[in-house]
Structures are given as structure tokens and as C-alpha cells.
């Protein structure tokens, strides 16, 4: 068993809004959130006051403890206010991909039993359609303004009393992001207030921050990585978060230059752009102190090329998953220059790990040998919503979460290297794509007899969905372009099929399970 070299941290027995904003009065007029597109700024005092007023208005509207509120928005400076207001009112927040189709959104609304939606006016049509399809939604609020819908801006004027909700941090669910786990369709991941808050305390010794630090939030807040690393963690520590709604390279570089960004938390495609794109040379990025990449594997050579070009310490990595609140490993800021290339870091405080044999899961492996990574700690999720069997398959009786990732620990420094995946999940630019979901969709096409989907790496090092398709005898002229278009019309852009190979039969085990590794090897 491998244990963190950091001292254990006690569980944080606070609601997430209090764990994050406990020092808001102390930070006062310090900028908490800055809109990177127009410069609109909210101080810590304003974020604290605004989220309390919106919480009062939500409670007045009927939001009660145990309700689920769907937060459906790109990154804006209003997103944190909406999130903390909902949790203060006693609700659980299920975060929704802003590019989800109405059908995908409706599935999440139904599964989570969400009764409320907060969205933005450009996404209102999708939210309305999703609410119609799902049923059960009482009201749709908007962060900005839209005719016929109450706005968070108007709710700031609420004179209703601030809700006094008794929250049990150990049991009550603060966030309900959706994850495919190691396989299958997306499932609601129940993360309690204590799990989220404690993970922030676990991460702090390795990646401290404070007033004067400026973090650029371009990765989405709806994703657990963005929610933790770019929203909760910096706001807990008095840093300033500069918010961008999406990744546009020129806008991203201009924000680093103009706002004197000190820290970047990114995914590998952004590291690639920083390492190779000619536009980088046109901007002053000298304020940057460090870069951490997570959400997908980062090639060690690419990391080195990026740090060399920018004159920074080596790009650090972090590791975790939605089911782990999400962090378990990170390259500590004070050890970036000593970290071996390619490592995803060391265990954070209060976390244990085992590496077990792929052939015999009861056999623990020593340092240097690769096996499945198992994690135990206070950040392990409460479980999957309404899916006790899936939860039991993920977390064993001793509390070990089976990540489905394959890795090994080096012989000396306790550095983890992730080398492969047992799980079937595809990670496209950090977003999860479940092969089973795409396969089910492909099989609705009248010209497809059978299908399997695996990940393959493109020329930019991104893992993309690759479909292996068996045509119906009557559809001999079915083309790759037709299949790709069929899928593209029905899923969010990051889930699109990027390659199609026609085969005579999908390889399967006797149990009927698709032999994906065989397909990956053939590719």
C-alpha cells in the first residue's frame, strides 16, 4: 500500500459554500472573479453577498433541501454565484455540459429528478426543450436576462430572508456531475459537501495559492476539474479567477498578458497550442509561474517543449476522476523541477493507493510493476445516484475505488505513472465519451447491423472515437460520411465519431462483451 507523504487532513465538516467563502470578509475588496472578455469584476465581498441574496430568492421561489438544480452554462462570473446560492438554499447542483443536445440534457434531468434549471439566454431554447422532454421542471432561471424568465440579476434585489438550512456535510449531496465511470452510460456521481471541501484541503499543501495569485479559468466549471481547480480552490484561498467562456487561442493569450495570469490549469490540447502555435510569440506571457495539466494523458515530450518555450518549470500533471472529487495526485509546486518526466504526481494528503495485478486483483504489486490503480480516502464519492450495483462494482467492501487505470509507482520518490486503461472510456480533450452510448446510437441506424467504438489517437495526440461498423446486407453502399453525420446530428460535438472502419463482424467474448483491446490493436 502506498500512502501520502503529507500529513493527514481532518475531514472538513462544512457546506461547500462555507468551506469556500469562509474568508470572504477577510479578502473583502480583493477581486474574486474577473470576466476575461469585458473586465467586469466581482470582489469577494460581492460574491458572498450576491450568493446569499440569490439563495434567498431561490428559497422564496420554492427551492428546498434535497431538490436538484441543473446548472447549464458556459463559464461566466455568474456561475459560482449560482452554484453557491443553490447549495446554500439546500439544493444539489447537477452541472450540465453547455453543448449537450436537448435530448442529452433531458436524460440528465430525468435521471437526477431535477426540478429547477439555471441557464443563460443563448442556451434557453435547448433548456426549454429539455425541460419539456423530461417533465418535472418547475422553473427555468437565467443568469443574464430573457423575457418570461426570472434573472439572477433581478434576484439580487430579493428582500426575502436568507435560508437557514440544516446541511449534513457528510451525507448531503452538494454536486451531482455525470460520469461514465469505467464503462457504460453517464451516471450521476454523488459528491457530498464534505468530500468536495475535504479534497480542497487535501490539495492545498501541494498546490497552495493566495491573494496575488491569478488563475485563468478556461476549462469548464461544469466539469469536476474546473469546478475544483478553477473555482472552489482559488476562491477558498483568496486568489483572483479570470473567467473565459471557451478556449479561443488569441483570447486566451491576451487574457494571460492583460490580466498578468500567474497559474494555468489546462488540458493537453492547450499545452500543445502553447508549445507549437506561432501566435504564442506575439504575447507577453512572462507573468506565468506554473502550468498544471490534467483530465487526459500528457506526452512528456510535449510538456517539455511547452515549458522550454515559455521559460517555465516543467509542466506538472495531476490525476483524479469525477468519482474522486476529483483529486488524488499532483506534482507539487515546490517539486516541479525534480519531478520525473511523464509523472502525474504524488499522492495528496490523506490518500492511500494500491497497485493490483490485472490477472489477480487480490495481489498487490510493488513499486515498478504496472497494475490497476486503486484509491482510498475521504474524497471517494458517496456512490452513483440510483445505481447501487454500479457503485458496488466501482468501490469494494474495504472502500477501495477501482479506477480502471493502469499505472506504476517509481522505486524511489513515490511518483505515479499512468500507462494504460483497463476501462473502456474515451477521453477526448478531457471530456468523457462512453463507447456504449455511441454504440447504442449507431445501432438505431437502419443500415447498421452491429457496431463497436474504441478510442484512437489522432495526429495531435487527442483520443477520438473510432467506430467499427458492420453494414446490413441491404446497406452495402453506406458510407463513412453518412455514419459520421448521423451521429453528429444527435450528440454534443465532443462525442462525434471521427473515424469509421467497416468490418465483417465485431469481435466478442463468449459472454457477448466486445473485445475492444483487439480492435485497438488492429487499429
Amino acid at each position: 500500500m502506498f500512502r501520502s507523504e503529507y500529513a493527514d487532513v481532518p475531514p472538513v465538516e462544512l457546506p461547500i459554500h462555507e468551506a469556500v467563502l469562509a474568508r470572504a470578509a477577510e479578502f473583502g475588496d480583493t477581486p474574486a472573479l474577473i470576466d476575461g472578455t469585458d473586465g467586469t469584476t466581482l470582489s469577494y465581498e460581492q460574491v458572498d453577498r450576491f450568493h446569499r441574496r440569490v439563495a434567498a430568492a431561490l428559497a422564496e421561489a420554492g427551492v428546498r433541501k434535497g431538490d436538484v438544480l441543473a446548472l447549464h452554462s458556459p463559464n461566466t462570473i455568474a456561475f459560482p454565484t449560482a452554484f453557491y446560492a443553490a447549495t446554500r438554499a439546500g439544493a444539489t447542483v447537477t452541472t450540465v455540459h453547455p453543448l449537450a443536445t436537448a435530448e442529452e440534457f433531458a436524460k440528465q434531468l430525468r435521471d437526477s429528478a431535477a426540478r429547477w434549471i439555471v441557464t443563460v439566454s443563448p442556451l434557453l431554447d435547448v433548456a426549454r426543450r429539455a425541460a419539456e422532454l423530461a417533465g418535472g421542471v418547475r422553473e427555468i432561471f437565467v443568469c443574464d436576462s430573457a423575457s418570461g424568465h426570472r434573472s439572477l440579476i433581478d434576484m439580487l434585489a430579493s428582500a426575502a430572508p436568507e435560508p437557514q438550512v440544516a446541511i449534513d456535510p457528510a451525507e448531503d449531496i452538494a454536486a451531482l456531475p455525470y460520469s461514465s465511470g469505467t464503462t457504460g452510460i453517464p451516471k450521476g456521481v454523488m459528491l457530498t459537501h464534505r468530500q468536495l471541501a475535504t479534497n480542497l484541503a487535501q490539495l492545498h499543501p501541494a498546490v497552495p495559492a493566495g491573494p496575488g495569485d491569478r488563475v485563468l479559468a478556461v476549462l469548464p466549471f461544469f466539469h469536476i476539474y474546473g469546478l475544483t481547480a478553477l473555482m472552489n480552490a482559488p476562491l477558498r484561498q483568496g486568489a483572483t479567477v479570470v473567467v473565459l467562456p471557451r478556449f479561443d487561442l488569441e483570447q486566451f493569450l491576451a487574457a494571460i498578458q492583460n490580466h498578468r495570469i500567474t497559474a494555468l490549469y489546462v488540458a493537453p490540447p492547450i499545452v500543445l497550442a502553447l508549445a507549437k502555435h506561432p501566435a504564442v510569440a506575439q504575447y507577453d506571457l512572462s507573468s506565468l509561474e506554473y502550468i498544471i495539466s490534467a483530465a487526459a494523458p500528457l506526452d512528456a515530450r510535449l510538456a517539455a517543449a511547452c515549458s522550454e518555450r515559455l521559460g517555465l518549470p516543467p509542466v506538472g500533471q495531476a490525476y483524479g476522476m469525477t468519482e474522486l472529487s476529483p483529486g488524488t495526485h499532483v506534482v507539487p509546486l515546490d517539486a516541479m523541477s525534480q519531478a520525473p518526466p511523464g509523472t502525474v504526481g504524488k499522492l495528496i494528503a490523506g490518500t492511500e493507493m494500491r497497485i493490483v495485478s490485472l490477472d489477480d486483483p487480490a495481489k498487490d504489486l510493488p513499486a515498478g510493476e504496472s497494475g490497476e490503480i486503486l484509491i482510498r480516502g475521504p474524497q471517494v464519492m458517496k456512490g452513483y445516484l440510483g445505481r447501487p450495483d454500479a457503485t458496488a462494482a466501482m468501490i469494494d467492501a474495504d472502500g477501495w475505488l477501482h479506477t480502471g487505470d493502469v499505472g506504476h509507482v517509481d522505486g524511489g520518490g513515490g511518483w505515479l505513472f499512468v500507462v494504460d486503461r483497463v476501462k473502456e472510456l474515451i477521453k477526448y480533450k478531457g471530456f468523457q465519451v462512453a463507447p456504449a452510448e455511441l454504440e447504442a446510437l449507431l445501432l438505431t441506424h437502419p443500415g447498421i447491423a452491429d457496431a463497436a467504438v474504441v478510442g484512437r489517437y489522432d495526429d495531435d495526440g487527442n483520443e477520438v472515437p473510432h467506430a467499427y461498423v458492420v453494414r446490413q446486407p441491404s446497406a452495402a453502399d453506406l458510407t463513412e460520411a453518412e455514419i459520421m453525420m448521423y451521429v453528429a446530428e444527435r450528440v454534443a460535438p465532443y462525442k462525434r465519431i471521427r473515424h469509421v472502419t467497416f468490418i465483417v463482424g465485431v469481435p466478442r467474448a463468449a459472454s457477448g462483451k466486445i473485445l475492444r483491446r483487439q480492435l485497438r490493436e488492429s487499429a
Side-chain angles (χ1 to χ4, degrees), residues 36-57:
T37 62
D38 65 13
T40 302
T41 301
L42 295 179
S43 69
Y44 273 88
E45 185 277 331
Q46 288 174 310
V47 172
D48 190 40
R49 177 161 47 90
F50 289 176
H51 97 275
R52 291 172 185 272
R53 284 296 85 219
V54 175

Side-chain angles (χ1 to χ4, degrees), residues 108-131:
Q108 187 168 334
L109 290 172
R110 279 193 296 268
D111 191 74
S112 65
R115 304 180 72 198
W116 313 90
I117 296 174
V118 173
T119 188
V120 292
S121 56
L123 301 180
L124 192 50
D125 286 345
V126 173
R128 285 174 175 155
R129 177 63 179 148

Side-chain angles (χ1 to χ4, degrees), residues 360-378:
D360 179 8
K363 179 183 177 184
D364 284 272
L365 300 177
E369 293 189 32
S370 290
E372 185 179 6
I373 301 165
L374 275 54
I375 298 290
R376 188 166 66 181

Side-chain angles (χ1 to χ4, degrees), residues 12-19 87-88 90-92 167-175 191-199:
V12 179
E13 303 291 356
L14 291 171
I16 188 63
H17 45 273
E18 292 182 10
T87 59
R88 183 171 285 279
T92 294
I167 291 174
D168 181 348
E171 294 297 328
D172 293 340
I173 311 303
L191 300 177
T192 66
H193 291 265
R194 181 166 76 180
Q195 285 157 356
L196 290 172
T198 302
N199 197 228

Side-chain angles (χ1 to χ4, degrees), residues 492-506:
Y494 69 95
K495 296 182 184 176
R496 292 175 181 171
I497 298 289
R498 310 288 166 156
H499 301 278
V500 176
T501 299
F502 292 102
I503 55 178
V504 296
V506 172

Side-chain angles (χ1 to χ4, degrees), residues 153-351:
I153 298 168
D154 299 332
M155 294 163 82
L156 294 176
S158 170
E162 184 179 309
Q164 301 297 318
V165 181
I167 291 174
D168 181 348
E171 294 297 328
D172 293 340
I173 311 303
L176 188 69
Y178 272 68
S179 166
S180 299
T182 57
T183 183
I185 60 172
K187 299 173 281 292
V189 178
M190 297 186 290
L191 300 177
T192 66
H193 291 265
R194 181 166 76 180
Q195 285 157 356
L196 290 172
T198 302
N199 197 228
L200 299 177
Q202 291 176 288
L203 287 161
H204 179 75
V207 281
D213 290 316
R214 291 186 158 231
V215 179
L216 184 56
V218 69
L219 296 183
F221 290 147
F222 80 82
H223 190 286
I224 191 65
Y225 177 17
L227 190 76
T228 293
L230 299 176
M231 190 176 95
N232 289 338
L235 293 179
R236 174 179 177 266
Q237 299 170 90
T240 297
V241 181
V242 178
V243 181
L244 291 177
R246 68 190 64 82
F247 180 70
D248 172 87
L249 182 61
E250 297 276 352
Q251 187 182 60
F252 175 78
L253 295 170
I256 297 172
Q257 173 181 281
N258 298 338
H259 293 282
R260 306 302 293 160
I261 297 299
T262 60
L264 292 179
Y265 290 82
V266 297
I270 297 178
V271 179
L272 175 67
L274 290 171
K276 297 189 175 181
H277 200 284
V280 173
Q282 300 167 22
Y283 293 84
D284 176 9
L285 309 184
S286 61
S287 60
L288 286 176
E289 296 173 4
Y290 66 89
I291 300 173
I292 290 178
S293 176
L298 176 66
D299 180 76
R301 291 166 298 181
L302 176 59
C306 177
S307 61
E308 184 176 343
R309 184 181 194 189
L310 299 181
L312 290 172
V315 175
Q317 291 195 65
Y319 173 76
M321 58 196 301
T322 307
E323 290 82 353
L324 291 164
S325 300
T328 69
H329 291 73
V330 67
V331 174
L333 298 189
D334 61 6
M336 281 188 154
S337 297
Q338 293 81 49
T343 181
V344 298
K346 293 186 174 187
L347 282 165
I348 63 172
T351 306

Side-chain angles (χ1 to χ4, degrees), residues 12-88:
V12 179
E13 303 291 356
L14 291 171
I16 188 63
H17 45 273
E18 292 182 10
V20 172
L21 297 175
R23 299 172 67 191
E26 174 188 337
F27 300 135
D29 292 334
T30 301
L33 296 156
I34 299 176
D35 186 318
T37 62
D38 65 13
T40 302
T41 301
L42 295 179
S43 69
Y44 273 88
E45 185 277 331
Q46 288 174 310
V47 172
D48 190 40
R49 177 161 47 90
F50 289 176
H51 97 275
R52 291 172 185 272
R53 284 296 85 219
V54 175
L58 289 174
E60 187 179 38
V63 175
R64 296 291 178 263
K65 180 178 178 179
D67 283 359
V68 175
L69 179 146
L71 184 45
H72 171 236
S73 171
N75 285 10
T76 71
I77 60 172
F79 192 110
T81 295
F83 184 92
Y84 302 132
T87 59
R88 183 171 285 279

